[in-house]
Amino acid sequence: MTRAVTLTDIHAARERIANKVVRTPTVLSHSLSERFGVPVHLKLEHRQTTGSFKLRGASNAVASLSAEQKARGVVAASTGNHGRALAYAAKLEGMRAVICMSRLVPQNKLDEIRRLGADVRIVGNSQDEAQQEVERLVAQEGLVMLPPFDHADIIAGQGTLGLEMIEQVPDAALVLAQLSGGGLASGIAAAVKGVSPRTKVIGVSMARGAAMKASLDAGRPVEIEELPTLADSLGGGIGIDNRLTFAMCRDLLDDVVLLSEDEIAAGIRHAYEQEREIVEGAGAVGIAALLAGKVGVNGPVVILLSGRNIDMNTHRKIICSDAIAEPAA
Ligand SMILES: *Cc1c(COP(=O)(O)O)cnc(C)c1O
């Protein structure tokens, strides 16, 4: 039996992780507010411990385990940020963590997870192949699987971000949230709409390999090819036997928009040059969607900056390439 994560679950998650995660600030973007004629707020979640919001879900899931499960240890497949967050959360609890990832994961993310003391396994060319290794470890070594998004405790943890956003900007008309596996967008939408039903929540993905968008269009979870993208944290499928996030995204999101690589680069550049923030590609897609004119605005907007774990050489190249630079504000 599966059921959607509710506002009550998200409040419980918040209690559970209160002393494990940072309540990140939300600030007004003067440049975006001026440009779009409405208050545009940035939720600075890229400043979360471990560099992304993933620590919220991982901390909630780890804290929800029984003593017997904690003794066995945890395992997950991850494009990086979930693995990093889970490694950190497990280390705090003195637990074993094994992280499986595909070869597409950037070196900087891999190094960081190893540094946090987790056992890293590199397998295959896709998240789905990494997931097969997870299932083998669950069956053969008795580890507890904590997947990156399709798990009630993970979704509820990510939802705590939505509670903070709507508390920090109670009159928000629109929230822009990254969309990959959909744990983040499901949790945020459940929290935001639970508190403020009229606030719209729009999911933002890269056009290159947007599995949830393809699935929503098909009316069921579908597999699509995983492609390299600047928004590498948004890569990967939603799982053909998706239990929770497909239905929650279908029922709760008002729309999904897709971005080109150039548009994502423009978002990273805007974050750096105008907002003075270093964000990874996935972290910049909300800003990018607004800059690209892909979302209509008619009231206060909250844009989530979801992570900052970008390879700094990649970041430098994007900042220095003026081929597709934004005009100065
Ligand atoms: C994981 C991740 C996302 C997407 O979250 P999902 O729950 O998979 O949709 C967005 N941004 C960053 C930085 C991430 O690490």
Side-chain angles (χ1 to χ4, degrees):
M1 269 303 288
T2 56
R3 63 169 183 84
V5 171
T6 64
L7 190 57
T8 309
D9 300 323
I10 297 168
H11 279 292
R14 170 142 79 175
E15 293 283 300
R16 223 175 269 125
I17 67 174
N19 58 3
K20 299 184 164 96
V21 303
V22 176
R23 183 182 168 97
T24 51
T26 293
V27 299
L28 190 71
S29 162
H30 293 284
S31 72
L32 292 173
S33 299
E34 225 164 81
R35 191 184 302 199
F36 291 93
V38 295
V40 179
H41 303 267
L42 305 176
K43 172 68 165 163
L44 305 182
E45 183 69 7
H46 62 303
R47 298 192 194 165
Q48 184 58 255
T49 309
T50 73
S52 85
F53 71 88
K54 290 279 198 324
L55 188 61
R56 293 174 184 263
S59 298
N60 187 48
V62 162
S64 302
L65 294 175
S66 69
E68 183 266 333
Q69 288 174 313
K70 285 182 184 169
R72 283 193 271 152
V74 291
V75 61
S78 172
T79 55
N81 285 337
H82 173 65
R84 185 168 174 156
L86 190 60
Y88 183 92
K91 189 180 172 140
L92 272 191
E93 296 274 343
M95 286 166 53
R96 179 180 180 210
V98 180
I99 308 300
C100 305
M101 53 181 87
S102 89
R103 288 191 193 96
L104 295 179
V105 173
Q107 186 69 32
N108 65 312
K109 293 192 172 183
L110 199 157
D111 291 344
E112 177 65 17
I113 290 170
R114 287 222 169 99
R115 199 183 63 77
L116 288 171
D119 176 1
V120 174
R121 309 261 169 104
I122 312 278
V123 271
N125 289 314
S126 72
Q127 278 300 104
D128 290 341
E129 285 174 72
Q131 184 57 32
Q132 286 165 14
E133 175 69 2
V134 169
E135 278 150 30
R136 194 188 67 74
L137 288 166
V138 170
Q140 295 182 3
E141 297 185 24
L143 292 165
V144 178
M145 176 172 74
L146 288 180
F149 53 86
D150 199 20
H151 185 293
D153 297 330
I154 299 285
I155 298 168
Q158 321 305 29
T160 62
L161 197 39
L163 287 182
E164 291 176 21
M165 289 163 115
I166 205 68
E167 285 163 4
Q168 290 167 329
V169 186
D171 61 346
L174 171 64
V175 169
L176 295 180
Q178 289 72 3
L179 179 63
S180 175
L184 175 66
S186 296
I188 286 179
V192 166
K193 287 175 181 287
V195 175
S196 172
R198 280 181 313 183
T199 303
K200 287 206 154 77
V201 180
I202 293 181
V204 188
S205 301
M206 68 293 170
R208 286 170 66 83
M212 182 63 84
K213 170 73 167 132
S215 300
L216 292 171
D217 289 348
R220 66 188 163 81
V222 295
E223 288 189 63
I224 61 166
E225 193 191 350
E226 193 177 339
L227 299 165
T229 167
L230 275 179
D232 53 275
S233 291
L234 301 184
I238 71 163
I240 215 75
D241 47 3
N242 186 287
R243 297 179 313 125
L244 293 167
T245 60
F246 171 75
M248 287 185 73
C249 287
R250 180 193 62 204
D251 296 347
L252 295 172
L253 292 182
D254 293 283
D255 199 2
V256 175
V257 300
L258 302 183
L259 299 172
S260 71
E261 296 297 301
D262 281 358
E263 288 165 344
I264 296 168
I268 294 173
R269 263 197 302 276
H270 175 95
Y272 185 70
E273 288 166 2
Q274 309 294 327
E275 316 294 344
R276 312 289 160 131
E277 301 291 343
I278 294 172
V279 294
E280 58 177 281
V285 298
I287 291 176
L290 200 61
L291 290 176
K294 293 204 169 159
V295 290
V297 291
N298 57 9
V301 182
V302 186
I303 296 178
L304 174 61
L305 308 191
S306 59
R308 67 168 179 217
N309 294 324
I310 187 168
D311 175 83
M312 287 312 287
N313 288 320
T314 306
H315 190 266
R316 199 172 298 120
K317 271 184 215 147
I318 293 166
I319 297 309
C320 293
S321 74
D322 50 6
I324 37 180
E326 273 189 77

